[in-house]
Amino acid sequence: MQPNKIKAIIFDFDGVIAESVNVKTEAFSKMYAKYGSDIAEKVVEHHLSHGGISRFEKFKFYHKEYFGIELTNQQLQELANQFSELVVQKVIAAPYVPGALEFIQNNYKYYDLFISSGTPEDEIIEIITKKKIDIYFNSIHGSPGEKTDHVKNIISQKDYGKDEIIFIGDADTDILAAKENDIPIVLRVHPYSNCNCDYNKLIKIENLINLVDVLVFSGNN
């Protein structure tokens, strides 16, 4: 049964639908290991503290911050391609966050479901398609678009009220996207999450097993 008010749900992907945050972390560590353990550790620390930000932005930051290098578009694309080769198949094979698949399969007829990810859009579409869950989502959004804009566009296109849509994420970028669009967020907390943003429309959970109960609570407040 659909709870009062909530009509639509926007999901982040890594760490919310799939247990794949560690896959991306390991990929960044591997790509920067050749520069020494100190650089690799700094990259991993930054990556974990800035979940949901495009890998393109991270590569530009790391090379400028640690090596004083302004990457060309070609160099940036080559790094992104290397990263994709390291992660795509592993993300496809990653297990689901407890309760995520069951919720999506049992409730897609009651809610409009969307994806908002920092992963390149063509890649996240490929991953979701190969995991065979693409049929459950109204639309899938990735980079270079930013999550704040994803949410804004979804609300605008479907004309949802601010109390009719909710974000489910695990990173500061998710909180900011919800906050800037004045919608509530359910924050999935896990060992790799590192959120510092504060927001009065935020509810924390450890998994998605009892998500229906959380939505009922959110939809009546």
Side-chain angles (χ1 to χ4, degrees):
M1 180 182 296
Q2 181 177 349
N4 184 34
K5 295 184 181 179
I6 303 295
K7 293 182 179 179
I9 305 169
I10 303 174
F11 291 87
D12 177 38
F13 185 78
D14 295 311
V16 173
I17 291 177
E19 296 283 23
S20 47
V21 174
N22 61 317
V23 172
K24 308 289 180 71
T25 304
E26 290 168 3
F28 274 115
S29 179
K30 185 172 183 178
M31 288 185 68
Y32 284 90
K34 62 184 178 182
Y35 300 108
S37 59
D38 183 54
I39 293 295
E41 288 173 6
K42 288 180 180 178
V43 166
V44 166
E45 182 180 358
H46 178 275
H47 164 66
L48 291 174
S49 299
H50 296 80
I53 294 177
S54 165
R55 67 191 62 167
F56 290 88
E57 296 304 316
K58 289 180 178 179
F59 285 134
K60 286 192 287 187
F61 174 80
Y62 300 148
H63 276 70
K64 184 175 182 180
E65 182 75 10
Y66 304 135
F67 314 124
I69 296 173
E70 294 277 0
L71 291 170
T72 65
N73 288 337
Q74 182 178 345
Q75 290 172 324
L76 193 57
Q77 189 60 56
E78 288 173 355
L79 288 170
N81 291 343
Q82 291 175 33
F83 193 88
S84 293
E85 290 176 4
L86 289 172
V87 304
V88 171
Q89 293 305 317
K90 290 182 179 179
V91 174
I92 292 169
Y96 288 98
V97 170
L101 180 60
E102 293 81 0
F103 177 86
I104 291 166
Q105 291 177 329
N106 293 334
N107 291 279
Y108 76 98
K109 292 181 180 179
Y110 303 117
Y111 306 95
D112 295 336
L113 304 183
F114 303 89
I115 294 287
S116 172
S117 173
T119 298
E121 193 162 290
D122 57 346
E123 185 176 306
I124 191 63
I125 289 173
E126 176 189 358
I127 289 167
I128 290 173
T129 300
K130 290 187 175 178
K131 288 183 83 71
K132 299 181 179 179
I133 58 172
D134 55 304
I135 60 172
Y136 303 121
F137 295 95
N138 288 45
S139 59
I140 299 167
H141 307 265
S143 67
E146 296 185 356
K147 293 186 177 186
T148 298
D149 293 328
H150 295 167
V151 176
K152 181 180 179 180
N153 292 336
I154 290 169
I155 292 172
S156 176
Q157 290 169 9
K158 296 289 187 175
D159 198 27
Y160 296 118
K162 298 299 178 68
D163 59 350
E164 294 178 333
I165 186 166
I166 193 166
F167 201 114
I168 302 178
D170 70 331
D172 281 338
T173 50
D174 303 324
I175 299 172
L176 288 172
K179 189 173 183 178
E180 291 187 21
N181 286 281
D182 193 28
I183 66 170
I185 180 169
V186 174
L187 187 73
R188 194 253 168 152
V189 179
H190 54 77
Y192 300 100
S193 60
N194 185 9
C195 299
N196 299 304
C197 292
D198 189 25
Y199 184 38
N200 61 358
K201 294 184 179 181
L202 183 152
I203 299 173
K204 294 183 179 181
I205 58 174
E206 293 185 0
N207 55 58
L208 273 61
I209 292 173
N210 296 316
L211 183 57
V212 169
D213 295 334
V214 174
L215 293 178
V216 169
F217 178 80
S218 300
N220 286 280
N221 283 273

